Structure formats: C-alpha cells, structure tokens
C-alpha cells in the first residue's frame, strides 16, 4: 500500500484563476480521483476489488496519491489478468479489502470523490463498506463520464471512454487498466473538462454538479444578471422588461443560486420559460435564512408571480366554525370574526375542511341545516332526524340542556381533546375492514386524518399567535447567534449577534426596533398561516434557545397533535 504527497505545477488550472468565484470555488475544492480494478463488472455477482488507486488534488496541485493491490480471496479470471496485468501471484501477499478500504477512506476523507463512471467504482466501495459494517462517508460524487457527455462532441472523440478523453485532453498519463495510472489520467480529464466549462460560466462545485449542455445559449448569456447579487441569504425576484415580477425565490447564497438558473439544466419547463423572459434580477439581502423564507412568502403573496405555483393566494383558506347561537351548528367560513365563536383551521383546501366536517358529523348529532333557529323552534324534522343523525331541535325532539351538552363535548373535541372522534371513527374503520369493506374504511380514515390535521394545525397556531412576543436564538455553523423576534405568530425582527458583541444589548436593541404587530382574532395568525408554520418549524428545531416568552406558549397535552403522526403513518387500504 502506497500513500504519497507530491506537489506539481498548476499547469492548465491557471486559466481559471481569474474567474468570478461563486459558491464553493473549484480551485478551493479538494478532489479525490479514484479508480478500481476488479475481478469482474458486477459486485452483485460476487466480483471483488483487486487494486485501488487514487490521486488527491486541489487547485490543480497534486496533494497526494494512494495505491494498493488488494487480495480478492478469489482467483482472478484469465481475461481480467490479461486486461489489467494483475495476476494471482501479484495479489497473493497484498492486503485484504478489510484493511485496504479503511485506509483509502482515511485518505479520501473530506474531499469530493471523482471517478470515470462513478456508479461502478462507488458501487463497489459502498458494497464493501456495508460488508464490513463501515459507515460510508457522506461524499459528494462527481462523474467525469456524465460531464464529458455534455462537453465533448462526437467530432472530437468516438465515445466517452477514458482512453478517448485522455487523447482529447492530452493527458500526461496513458490509461492502461491499472488503478493509479487511470486515476492520474482521470485527473487530467477532469481539469480539461473544468477548463472548458469555465468559459461557459461554471466556476463552482455546485455549478459543475448541475451543469448541462441543454441550457440554451441565450439563457447562458444572461448569467451576468447575478453579478451584483451578494453571497448572502435573501430573496431574489426575476422581472421582465415591464418590471413585472415573474418569480420569487430564496437561497442561503443569492448570487450562487441565481447563477445556477443560467448554467444548470432546469427541468421545470415553466422555469426555463421564465428565464428566457427575464431581463433583470433583484435581491433582498436578509440577516438569516428564516427571514429570507418569510420575506419570500410575503413577496409572493404581494406580487402573485405567475411562475410561482405555491403560496400565491394565502387568503384562500377555510375555517371550520362552531357558531354561537341558541342551537349551535358547524359551518365552513373564509375568515375569523370577533363573534365569540370557536374556530379551527385554517384548512389548506375547502375539500379537506368539508372532509373534517363530515368526520365530526358522524360523531356529534348536532343540526346540519343552515337555518337560524329561535329559542323555541317549531318546524318539521329533516331526513337526518329520521336516520338518528340529528337531535332535531327544529321540531322539539330535544331540549336545550341535552343539545348544549353535546355542543360542549364537541367544543372540547375541537379545542382540546379529539379522543371521542378518533375512537369512534377508528372503531367504525375496524368494523368495515373486518367486513372487507376496505374502500369505505379508507374513506373514513381520510376524513379523520383531515380533521386531525386541521385541529392540530389550529392548536399549534393558536399557541404561538397567543404570545405577544417570543424571542429565540440559535448558534449558526460559523459560531454566531441568529436571533428572531416573533410577535403573535409574525416575524417582527431578525438579526445576527456580531462576533464579540454584547449579546444582551444586541437582543434588547433588536426587540426595541422590531415591528409592532397587532394581534389577530382566534386561531388566525397576525401573519399568514404558512409564515407562522415556518417560524414554528424553526422554533422547534434542535439547538434553539428561548431568550424570552411573553405570555404562555402551550398546546393541549391531550390535543390533536398526539394523534397526527400515528394517523399519517396508517397505510393506505388497498383493494385486492
């Protein structure tokens, strides 16, 4: 086993020194170019590794090399021995894969793995990692075959084999089916490919991974639109010649993300069309990624860009309402009023709200008509009363106390404890399944899931929106602390404590300058439901520190949230 560290001139890499660096500049990336020799072409058929060769490079400079023969504990087929020159005698005293593989992984650690036909080489390496119970490192993998298919034309080479590409790029090493020599040749091919792609605006690892020749030249020529954007989290807005906003997006690195639209293959047809129309891109720099996400939602709701599919109409929501009247009923409404009624939601669609409503009506026999009743109604009963699905206050079949008791139970189900609905519907599902009426059981399950989702969402939002202020912080990867001020479920301020700064003074200043937020009514957040849910996901993430909570941030212990996960895990009933 041989591991060496060498230094060589940077040769053709110098051609990339003047590039406008975006994302992770290619010259700063450590690549480990690996090649394997094996006893055959399929690890699934029991083929084994006979040699590992690798070259570690960065910025065009060779940092080290790794080479070892491997005893495969099996005979090497004669035709393989002729092809590679590796014989049974050569590997007899070589280390086995149990020692060769850990040594290679240590050598390659922290680098981007590169191979010519990476699926083959990486497939073998992963297989023997599993066989040895070794953890496969989270390598980013680059395949020079895939890159070459976008860069090298048939006029230049008859195919994309390593030997053909080595001739195209005038590699200093001729491939000969030995691992280290083939890895050295692949290094030259990699550098040749990157030199060509540099002229097409590919300057970072991210752009290299996403490069495709399918990007139209007209789109590639627009990559300068990203030049003035910062390397910072924020929101970007594509605009047309009339300054209409076409598309809003967010990224942790504005310039890198926008640049990718002009250098990577965009598989979404509508986004490719948008890029062709766009004439400018503006950016809104944000202090934190969460602020960027929130601003994105607000800008999409404001401009309603035609190329954004989600979040354009946050006002189109549905709530389920338990009315306040002599004989209360459930109804679907578009907004929450200050009328002392009880609401759950918002539901993401009217269909899911109707489904939840149906689940509740299965359990609670309150009236389903839309008529307004006085204290002593006198009308004819409907068919639901005849089916025992309504207490029928309309014809005096029930008294006010009995009806009020059912309403109290319903209110408790909506706001605090949904066990009555869950138990009854699940019992009905079990009975239907026992009768092999699987489609009906699935229908009841879906109704119950819609109710639980809506109730859990409502309870989580109500808990947050009821707090006048929540201040929280999290330590970022760079060691600094991101701080957010949330008021009634709306992001009121965001910032990052400067390194070495007074944390308490910074937080006090952030709170003092935060947006004034007027509370909304009921479960409706002062922001959109989607914004408050984004904030909740951040607040519930690992590593969050609560700096201060004004008010009580609590959810019902026996609330809908405890049923949500188990219901969503329930498998779909399949009719055979």
């Amino acid at each position: 086993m041989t591991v060496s560290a060498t230094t060589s001139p940077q040769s053709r890499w110098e051609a990339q020194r003047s590039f406008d660096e975006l994302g992770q500049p290619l010259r700063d990336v450590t690549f480990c170019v690996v090649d394997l020799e094996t006893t055959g072409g399929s690890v699934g058929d029991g083929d084994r590794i006979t040699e590992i060769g690798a070259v570690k490079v960065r910025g065009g400079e060779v940092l080290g090399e790794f080479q070892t023969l491997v005893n495969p504990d099996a005979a090497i087929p004669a035709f393989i021995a002729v092809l590679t020159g590796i014989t049974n005698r050569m590997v007899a005293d070589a280390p086995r894969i149990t020692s060769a593989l850990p040594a290679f992984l240590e050598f390659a650690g922290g680098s981007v793995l590169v191979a010519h036909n990476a699926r083959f080489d990486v497939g073998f390496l992963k297989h023997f990692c599993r066989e040895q119970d070794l953890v496969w490192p989270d390598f980013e993998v680059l395949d020079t075959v895939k890159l070459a298919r976008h860069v090298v034309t048939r006029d230049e080479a008859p195919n994309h084999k390593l030997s053909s590409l080595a001739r195209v790029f005038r590699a200093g090493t001729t491939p000969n089916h030995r691992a280290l020599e083939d890895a050295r040749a692949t290094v030259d091919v990699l550098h040749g490919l990157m030199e060509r792609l540099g002229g097409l605006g590919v300057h970072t690892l991210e752009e290299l991974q996403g490069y495709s020749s399918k990007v139209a030249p007209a789109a590639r020529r627009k990559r300068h639109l990203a030049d003035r954007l910062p390397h910072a989290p924020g929101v970007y807005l594509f605009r047309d010649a009339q300054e209409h906003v076409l598309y809003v997006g967010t990224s942790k690195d504005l310039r890198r993300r926008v640049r990718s639209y002009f250098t990577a293959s965009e598989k979404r047809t509508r986004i490719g069309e948008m890029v062709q129309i766009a004439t400018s891109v503006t950016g809104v720099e944000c202090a934190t990624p969460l602020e960027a996400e929130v601003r994105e939602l607000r800008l999409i709701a404001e401009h309603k860009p035609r190329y954004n599919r989600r979040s354009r109409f946050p006002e189109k929501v549905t709530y389920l309402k338990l009315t306040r009247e002599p004989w209360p009923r459930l109804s679907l409404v578009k907004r929450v009023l200050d009328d002392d009624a009880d609401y759950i939601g918002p539901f993401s669609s009217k269909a899911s709200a109707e489904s939840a409503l149906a689940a509740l009506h299965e359990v609670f026999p309150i009236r389903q008509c839309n008529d307004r009743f006085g204290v002593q109604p006198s009308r004819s009963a409907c068919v639901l009363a005849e089916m025992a699905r309504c207490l029928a206050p309309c014809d005096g079949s029930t008294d006010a106390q009995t009806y009020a008791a059912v309403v109290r139970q319903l209110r408790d189900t909506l706001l605090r404890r949904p066990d009555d609905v869950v138990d009854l519907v699940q019992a009905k599902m079990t009975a239907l399944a026992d009768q092999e009426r699987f489609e009906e059981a699935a229908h009841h399950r879906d109704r119950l899931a819609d109710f639980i989702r809506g109730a859990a969402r409502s309870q989580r939002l109500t808990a947050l929106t009821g707090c006048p202020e929540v201040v929280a912080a999290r330590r970022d990867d760079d060691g600094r602390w991101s701080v957010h001020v949330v008021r009634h479920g709306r992001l009121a301020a965001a910032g990052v404590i400067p390194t070495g700064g007074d944390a308490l003074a910074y937080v006090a200043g952030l709170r003092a300058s935060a947006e004034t937020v007027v509370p909304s009514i009921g479960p409706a957040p002062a922001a959109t439901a989607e914004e408050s849910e984004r904030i909740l996901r951040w607040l519930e993430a690992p590593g969050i520190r609560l700096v201060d909570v004004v008010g009580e941030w609590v959810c019902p212990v026996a609330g809908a949230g405890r049923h949500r996960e188990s219901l969503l895990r329930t498998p779909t009933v399949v009719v055979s």
Side-chain angles (χ1 to χ4, degrees):
M1 189 180 303
T2 304
V3 180
S4 63
T6 61
T7 302
S8 66
Q10 294 194 358
S11 62
R12 59 183 70 172
W13 193 270
E14 291 295 340
Q16 299 183 62
R17 283 292 201 183
S18 61
F19 290 153
D20 176 23
E21 306 290 359
L22 301 171
Q24 191 174 1
L26 288 173
R27 73 180 186 190
D28 295 338
V29 178
T30 299
F31 296 100
C32 181
V33 182
V34 63
D35 185 80
L36 305 180
E37 299 303 328
T38 64
T39 60
S42 173
V43 69
D45 293 338
D47 290 319
R48 317 283 291 181
I49 296 173
T50 58
E51 187 178 28
I52 304 174
V55 182
K56 189 183 289 186
V57 294
R58 182 174 62 240
E61 185 175 332
V62 177
L63 304 179
E65 294 184 337
F66 177 98
Q67 187 277 332
T68 182
L69 289 168
V70 180
N71 187 334
D73 288 322
I76 298 174
F79 76 94
I80 294 291
V82 171
L83 178 67
T84 65
I86 300 174
T87 64
N88 291 314
R89 179 178 297 180
M90 291 170 63
V91 300
D93 297 325
R96 287 174 168 77
I97 192 65
T98 52
S99 58
L101 182 54
F104 166 73
L105 294 178
E106 182 180 356
F107 173 80
S111 61
V112 174
L113 216 56
V114 181
H116 198 72
N117 189 14
R119 183 178 180 183
F120 174 86
D121 298 276
V122 174
F124 267 86
L125 293 171
K126 283 185 174 180
H127 171 82
F128 287 105
C129 269
R130 289 192 297 270
E131 195 173 83
Q132 298 179 43
D133 290 327
L134 295 175
V135 176
W136 174 255
D138 190 19
F139 285 119
E140 193 157 359
V141 178
L142 193 65
D143 192 338
T144 49
V145 170
K146 290 183 179 179
L147 275 179
R149 286 173 181 157
H150 295 303
V151 177
V152 180
T153 66
R154 291 291 183 183
D155 293 335
E156 296 176 279
N159 53 53
H160 297 105
K161 293 181 180 178
L162 181 58
S163 57
S164 301
L165 297 175
R167 286 192 292 271
V168 170
F169 294 110
R170 300 177 183 177
T173 303
T174 301
N176 62 357
H177 294 291
R178 290 300 301 270
L180 183 57
E181 284 75 8
D182 285 5
R184 288 170 176 165
T186 304
V187 168
D188 289 337
V189 170
L190 174 66
H191 286 168
L193 290 169
M194 288 194 293
E195 185 175 341
R196 284 196 182 186
L197 291 172
L200 297 174
V202 177
H203 313 313
T204 67
L205 177 62
E206 294 79 6
E207 292 172 342
L208 187 65
Q209 288 280 38
Y211 176 80
S212 171
S213 60
K214 295 179 182 178
V215 178
R220 228 181 267 286
R221 285 194 294 270
K222 292 184 179 181
R223 62 181 182 270
H224 68 278
L225 296 179
D227 289 349
R228 294 187 179 182
L229 298 178
H231 291 293
V235 182
Y236 55 88
L237 299 87
F238 280 84
R239 299 176 186 269
D240 62 16
Q242 288 75 42
E243 288 296 306
H244 297 143
V245 176
L246 299 171
Y247 183 80
V248 178
T250 184
S251 175
K252 293 181 180 179
D253 188 319
L254 285 172
R255 192 189 300 186
R256 183 183 70 186
R257 178 67 185 104
V258 172
R259 192 69 175 262
S260 71
Y261 283 93
F262 311 118
T263 56
S265 179
E266 177 54 66
K267 296 180 180 179
R268 296 172 294 176
T269 303
R270 72 185 192 286
I271 299 301
E273 178 184 291
M274 182 275 297
V275 171
Q276 292 179 5
I277 299 172
T279 59
S280 66
V281 184
T282 55
V284 179
E285 189 171 345
C286 299
T288 67
L290 177 61
E291 183 190 3
E293 290 182 35
V294 168
R295 286 190 179 275
E296 177 192 30
L297 291 174
R298 294 178 185 176
L299 286 167
I300 291 173
E302 176 186 353
H303 295 286
K304 298 185 176 8
R306 67 178 186 268
Y307 289 99
N308 283 94
R309 283 187 173 173
R310 300 183 62 184
S311 310
R312 288 199 300 166
F313 302 101
E315 65 277 8
K316 291 185 177 181
V317 293
T318 303
Y319 289 88
L320 200 159
K321 174 181 178 178
L322 178 60
T323 63
R324 288 280 184 173
E325 52 186 313
W327 306 95
R329 60 191 172 85
L330 291 168
S331 66
L332 302 182
V333 296
K334 292 297 183 183
R335 58 195 181 98
V336 176
L337 301 176
D338 188 10
D339 58 359
D340 202 30
D342 298 298
Y343 296 82
I344 67 167
F347 289 84
S348 57
S349 68
K350 185 178 180 180
S352 60
E354 289 172 340
S355 178
L357 178 64
L360 291 168
H361 278 149
E362 285 185 42
V363 180
F364 298 100
I366 64 171
R367 67 188 185 95
Q368 299 183 31
C369 53
N370 295 326
D371 299 335
R372 291 189 177 276
F373 290 171
V375 176
Q376 293 182 329
S378 178
R379 302 189 183 188
S380 299
C382 66
V383 68
L384 290 175
E386 297 176 8
M387 297 169 62
R389 293 184 58 187
C390 178
L391 293 174
C394 53
D395 67 352
S397 296
T398 187
D399 59 73
Q401 288 183 335
T402 301
Y403 195 88
V406 174
V407 171
R408 281 196 299 273
Q409 191 177 4
L410 171 56
R411 183 176 293 112
D412 189 64
T413 294
L414 294 176
L415 305 180
R416 286 174 288 276
R417 188 182 183 91
D419 291 13
D420 290 337
V421 174
V422 173
D423 293 344
L424 192 146
V425 175
Q426 286 187 334
K428 187 173 292 188
M429 288 163 51
T430 301
L432 290 169
D434 290 343
Q435 300 170 37
E436 298 187 358
R437 294 160 64 183
F438 299 116
E439 287 183 334
E440 292 179 64
H443 187 57
H444 286 286
R445 179 209 60 215
D446 293 342
R447 284 180 173 181
L448 178 60
D450 282 328
F451 165 66
I452 291 297
R453 268 193 294 262
R457 187 186 198 194
S458 181
Q459 289 165 10
R460 292 179 75 237
L461 289 175
T462 300
L464 181 63
T465 58
C467 292
E469 185 175 84
V470 176
V471 183
R474 183 171 66 182
R475 193 180 188 121
D476 296 330
D477 294 338
D478 61 4
R480 299 190 300 167
W481 287 85
S482 295
V483 184
H484 296 101
V485 179
V486 180
R487 292 177 175 168
H488 297 293
R490 180 179 175 88
L491 184 64
V496 178
I497 300 174
T499 303
D502 185 329
L504 292 178
Y506 181 86
V507 172
L510 191 67
R511 295 174 77 171
S513 62
E515 175 188 357
T516 299
V517 178
V518 178
S520 189
I521 305 168
T528 64
E530 193 171 358
E531 175 178 331
S532 295
E533 286 179 318
R534 295 282 180 95
I535 293 168
L536 276 168
R537 280 199 293 270
W538 184 85
L539 288 170
E540 294 166 352
I544 296 296
R545 304 283 182 89
L546 290 177
V547 178
D548 192 16
V549 176
V550 179
E552 293 185 352
W553 182 20
V554 293
C555 281
V557 174
R562 68 192 180 98
H563 295 286
R564 188 176 185 275
E565 188 174 344
S566 60
L567 273 174
L568 296 182
R569 280 203 309 262
T570 303
T572 302
V573 178
V574 178
V575 181
S576 59

